[in-house]
Amino acid sequence: MSLPVVLAGARGHGRSHLYNVRRLEQLGLARLAGICELRPLDAAELEGFGSPEQSADFGALLDSTGARIAIICTPIHTHTDLALAAAERGVHLLLEKPPAPSYAEFERMADGVRAAGTVCQIGFQSLGSHAVPAIRALIAQGAIGELLGVGAAGAWVRDTAYFTRAPWSGRRRIGAIDVVDGALTNPLAHAVATALAVGGSSRSEDVAGIESELLRANDIESDDTSCVRITTTAGLPVTVAATLCAEQPGEPYVVAHGDLGRITFWYKQDRVLVQRAGHGPEEFLHGRTDLLENLILHLTQDTPLLVPPELTGAFMRVVEAIRLAPDPVPLPASAWRTAPGESSAPRRIVSGVDGVVAASAETLTLFSELGVPWVPATEVRTP
């Protein structure tokens, strides 16, 4: 029996959820019962998606549709209240990443969902990749020897229109409300969560310390060029370097460093390269489990849930460290240049940042430790 689904936030990235629900409708697993948007989708936007009920009142829409699942794909700072509104009605959740803008809000959401007896899946799609358990198994088998650390790198291109697409874009806070948008917490959040998962340190209690360097080339509040080093309770360094000001767009990746080899994981492609002593390079392409489908099968067939809130606790420790860190340092004008964007909007390019991001993942070091001239010699440590 297909489960009725309500989608909150159906434009932008939310449109991918519309297409996914339609795919699951064809499998008989779900049906689109309602859409919550401040401005209803018009006929052109709804073409191919039937005539779901629409309302700006999320709670009323859940009640009137009898929804079993709600997908929340709304601004970061609205996640907790919407998640709790669903949980109070016994509605299960697929909650987009990042799940909350602060650790306190994350705990409030997770505690409320748990108390209501509902289920929440956090939308880190890369954690549905079959590559993650495969890599963990290789590490456990000693394929690359002793694990020395995990690095991640993401070099993306975003023009100025990206940072003005919504009132919360590029913001750390709106008034007294935390937003904590930024390269590491939102667009490249998957790099952080995936690196932690590969390192076997996804839970809050797995984090011993966090160092961060937050920079910006764009005229925004949040960071667009940043790095973080998480030290796990096992003493393992996990570094993530990210930029939205790349010279060329690249595929983000995670690399596990061992004393006898390395495993590189391009997580958007589910592609893995194993390089180890005594063997030629081996490349594998893995499958992926869709997280909404997994949630449905968890509810109907008791399939294990892939990304419950507790498996994003370490990621949320990083979000909290970034929230508490000083505001990002603006890079000097000499560090960046302006180039036309793909949508006729200009974009800022940080000189040499592609190589710097890759070097951070390769050496498990922060930007300031790489001797980059445009990086201030400042460091923020959060226990």
Side-chain angles (χ1 to χ4, degrees):
M1 180 176 169
S2 62
L3 301 186
V5 176
V6 161
L7 170 61
R11 294 190 173 93
H13 177 62
R15 196 149 185 87
S16 66
H17 288 293
L18 280 178
Y19 286 108
N20 194 37
V21 173
R22 185 166 68 181
R23 179 184 70 85
L24 295 174
E25 282 181 339
Q26 294 168 351
L27 296 175
L29 295 176
R31 64 178 177 84
L32 183 63
I35 293 174
C36 183
E37 273 284 359
L38 296 178
R39 177 172 55 85
L41 272 63
D42 59 30
E45 291 174 303
L46 277 175
E47 186 176 359
F49 296 105
S51 302
E53 186 177 340
Q54 297 197 67
S55 173
D57 187 328
F58 182 59
L61 187 62
L62 295 177
D63 292 338
S64 62
T65 59
R68 288 287 310 283
I69 294 174
I71 303 170
I72 297 177
C73 187
T74 57
I76 302 164
H77 55 289
T78 67
H79 283 185
T80 295
D81 286 342
L82 291 176
L84 293 179
E88 288 165 2
R89 292 167 168 81
V91 178
H92 307 286
L93 289 160
L94 174 61
L95 179 62
E96 263 296 350
K97 58 79 191 165
S102 71
Y103 199 84
E105 285 291 276
F106 172 69
E107 283 191 311
R108 186 165 74 93
M109 179 277 297
D111 289 347
V113 168
R114 190 180 306 111
T118 51
V119 174
C120 179
Q121 177 102 281
I122 306 298
F124 282 109
Q125 291 291 341
S126 61
L127 301 186
S129 176
H130 303 168
V132 174
I135 293 169
R136 291 293 306 150
L138 285 169
I139 292 171
Q141 293 161 12
I144 57 172
E146 180 186 354
L147 183 63
L148 303 177
V150 178
W156 280 2
V157 166
R158 294 294 184 267
D159 60 25
T160 53
Y162 174 82
F163 299 107
T164 58
R165 71 192 189 281
W168 57 272
S169 301
R171 302 290 296 274
R172 282 172 65 78
R173 60 192 66 85
I174 297 176
I177 300 172
D178 290 316
V179 176
V180 199
D181 189 27
L184 291 167
T185 56
N186 192 11
L188 284 155
H190 279 87
V192 179
T194 309
L196 287 164
V198 166
S201 302
S202 294
R203 297 175 181 271
S204 173
E205 58 268 27
D206 295 329
V207 176
I210 298 171
E211 304 160 85
S212 66
E213 294 178 352
L214 309 179
L215 310 168
R216 62 175 178 84
N218 285 277
D219 187 17
I220 55 176
E221 285 183 0
S222 61
D223 56 291
D224 58 36
T225 301
S226 311
C227 61
V228 65
R229 180 165 55 207
I230 305 120
T231 302
T232 74
T233 52
L236 191 77
V238 177
T239 67
V240 186
T243 185
L244 305 179
C245 306
E247 295 174 311
Q248 298 292 331
E251 280 294 331
Y253 61 90
V254 171
V255 55
H257 298 278
D259 63 352
L260 297 178
R262 58 195 286 153
I263 302 172
T264 307
F265 174 30
W266 290 270
Y267 60 81
K268 290 188 68 180
Q269 301 175 333
D270 301 308
R271 183 163 60 94
V272 174
L273 176 64
V274 181
Q275 298 164 291
R276 49 182 169 161
H279 297 74
E282 299 172 279
E283 190 163 338
F284 305 93
L285 190 62
H286 291 270
R288 178 180 291 212
T289 298
D290 174 71
L291 295 185
L292 179 57
E293 187 171 351
N294 172 248
L295 173 60
I296 292 170
L297 294 179
H298 175 75
L299 296 173
T300 59
Q301 300 179 22
D302 206 27
T303 299
L305 195 68
L306 286 173
V307 197
E310 57 268 24
L311 291 185
T312 64
F315 167 79
M316 283 305 307
R317 290 292 185 194
V318 175
V319 172
E320 183 71 355
I322 290 172
R323 183 183 78 87
L324 295 174
D327 288 344
V329 176
L331 292 175
S334 59
W336 54 267
R337 64 187 188 275
T338 302
E342 294 180 1
S343 59
S344 301
R347 66 180 179 93
R348 293 183 179 182
I349 300 170
V350 175
S351 302
V353 72
D354 305 43
V356 172
V357 165
S360 173
E362 179 64 27
T363 59
L364 303 175
T365 51
L366 300 171
F367 291 161
S368 60
E369 297 168 342
L370 291 168
V372 182
W374 40 256
V375 177
T378 57
E379 195 172 87
V380 178
R381 285 185 170 85
T382 304

